[in-house]
Amino acid sequence: MNDKSIIELFRIRDEQAIAELKLKYDRLCCHIAGNILSRREDIEECINSAYYDIWNRIPPDEPDDLKTYLCRIVKNKAIDRLKYNTAAKRDSQLSVSLDELAECITDRRDDNISAQELAASISRFLRTQDERHRKVFVRRYWYGDSLSKIAEYFGMNEKTVATYLFRTRKKLKEFLKKEGFEHE
């Protein structure tokens, strides 16, 4: 079933919508949540919570891209669960990747910068990058993959992946500065 049909099922409040969503995207959701969380129970709870959220959000929300919409919700749920599970501990792989990205992205809480403006700028930046750099960046900072997993996925050396990410972050920082997102 295509995404538009699934969204229509949500719109008419047909419970089959969740079954179809799960059938189509459950493996992807498990992958995203599994890269952030380690316990199977947490992963399943996070995904089920995301499905429940989508049930409550559509309508009124009308996502243009159901896959991205779902992935964002799953990722946010998993991050929230990780924060809950680790409280003050800062030893997770995701924390490391988010800390890396924080080097080039300004802290929005202190500014009047919307998340949508920042996301749009990052998307514009990624479209200027070659395919491999873009995919490595997305695997690391969207899916939360480890350097070793990315290296294996692309048939690269881990040091090469780290270099790709370093250079891409450096370019992103410069791009965002030109876009008006100053970083201290």
Side-chain angles (χ1 to χ4, degrees):
M1 180 173 276
N2 68 34
D3 288 357
K4 289 195 183 302
S5 300
I6 295 172
I7 291 170
E8 184 58 33
L9 290 175
F10 276 109
R11 193 175 304 116
I12 63 172
R13 310 308 290 161
D14 186 335
E15 291 180 15
Q16 185 65 27
I18 293 177
E20 294 294 336
L21 188 67
K22 188 171 185 165
L23 181 67
K24 187 167 184 179
Y25 292 118
D26 202 51
R27 287 187 60 195
L28 176 61
C29 292
C30 285
H31 177 79
I32 292 169
N35 280 338
I36 298 169
L37 303 167
S38 56
R39 291 183 33 215
R40 182 169 174 75
E41 300 83 21
D42 288 340
I43 294 167
E44 290 173 0
E45 181 180 330
C46 167
I47 294 168
N48 288 332
S49 180
Y51 293 153
Y52 180 75
D53 271 14
I54 289 179
W55 177 260
N56 289 326
R57 291 180 185 189
I58 302 175
D61 287 0
E62 296 283 336
D64 292 329
D65 184 347
L66 183 61
K67 179 179 175 182
T68 302
Y69 185 79
L70 172 63
C71 289
R72 181 180 47 84
I73 292 172
V74 169
K75 183 178 180 182
N76 289 339
K77 293 282 182 189
I79 290 170
D80 289 346
R81 178 47 117 180
L82 178 67
K83 287 177 186 174
Y84 175 81
N85 288 349
T86 58
K89 297 180 212 168
R90 297 279 297 174
D91 60 352
S92 76
Q93 179 67 34
L94 182 67
S95 294
V96 171
S97 70
L98 292 179
D99 288 345
E100 291 170 2
L101 202 52
E103 297 171 2
C104 54
I105 296 178
T106 186
D107 186 355
R108 294 183 302 101
R109 292 173 293 192
D110 299 334
D111 300 327
N112 291 327
I113 300 168
S114 79
Q116 289 81 12
E117 291 171 348
L118 182 59
S121 290
I122 293 171
S123 291
R124 278 193 302 279
F125 166 76
L126 288 174
R127 284 191 292 271
T128 68
Q129 302 304 297
D130 68 66
E131 183 179 4
R132 180 166 272 197
H133 280 82
R134 182 176 57 248
K135 286 182 176 181
V136 167
F137 186 90
V138 169
R139 297 294 319 177
R140 178 71 170 163
Y141 302 115
W142 178 256
Y143 293 108
D145 286 352
S146 67
L147 295 179
S148 60
K149 188 180 270 187
I150 295 169
E152 181 182 328
Y153 185 81
F154 289 105
M156 300 166 65
N157 180 309
E158 273 187 61
K159 290 188 184 281
T160 305
V161 171
T163 301
Y164 269 40
L165 292 168
F166 174 78
R167 289 179 181 162
T168 305
R169 286 192 313 269
K170 190 174 175 183
K171 290 178 192 173
L172 175 61
K173 185 175 182 177
E174 288 303 313
F175 181 87
L176 291 175
K177 191 181 281 187
K178 288 177 186 173
E179 293 267 315
F181 295 97
E182 291 298 320
H183 189 277
E184 288 113 33

